[in-house]
Amino acid sequence: FEPLPQILKNVRYRSGEPLQADSVVTAIAHARERLGNAGRLVIRPSGTETVIRVMAEGDDRGLVLEVVDEVVDAVTRAV
């Protein structure tokens, strides 16, 4: 077992469904495309807080951090 670099960031929001915004959907699709088969991306709302959890892992720590930051920025702008 060889652990991969993993980044998890949380984005607070007040109300609504930020994951439904077109800009967020586009950012998620772009992030998945950039990671390809070299990583994975998990984005979900928390079940207990008004927080969107953005997690990615992959072979390249720099790429993982970039895609997480891109999605976090898109969610932040949408809230």
Side-chain angles (χ1 to χ4, degrees):
F1 171 72
E2 215 174 299
L4 297 174
Q6 185 180 78
I7 306 290
L8 170 66
K9 292 190 177 183
N10 297 317
V11 182
R12 291 210 172 272
Y13 65 98
R14 293 176 191 218
S15 64
E17 297 182 19
L19 293 180
Q20 303 302 318
D22 290 339
S23 60
V24 176
V25 171
T26 301
I28 292 169
H30 185 251
R32 286 199 169 118
E33 183 179 304
R34 288 186 66 197
L35 283 174
N37 292 329
R40 72 181 182 126
L41 184 65
V42 178
I43 300 155
R44 67 177 187 84
S46 169
T48 58
E49 303 175 86
T50 52
V51 169
I52 302 295
R53 302 197 193 284
V54 180
M55 190 277 295
E57 66 182 12
D59 298 329
D60 181 344
R61 182 173 177 79
L63 177 60
V64 169
L65 185 57
E66 284 178 22
V67 297
V68 167
D69 285 344
E70 288 173 7
V71 174
V72 166
D73 288 344
V75 173
T76 301
R77 285 191 304 269
V79 295

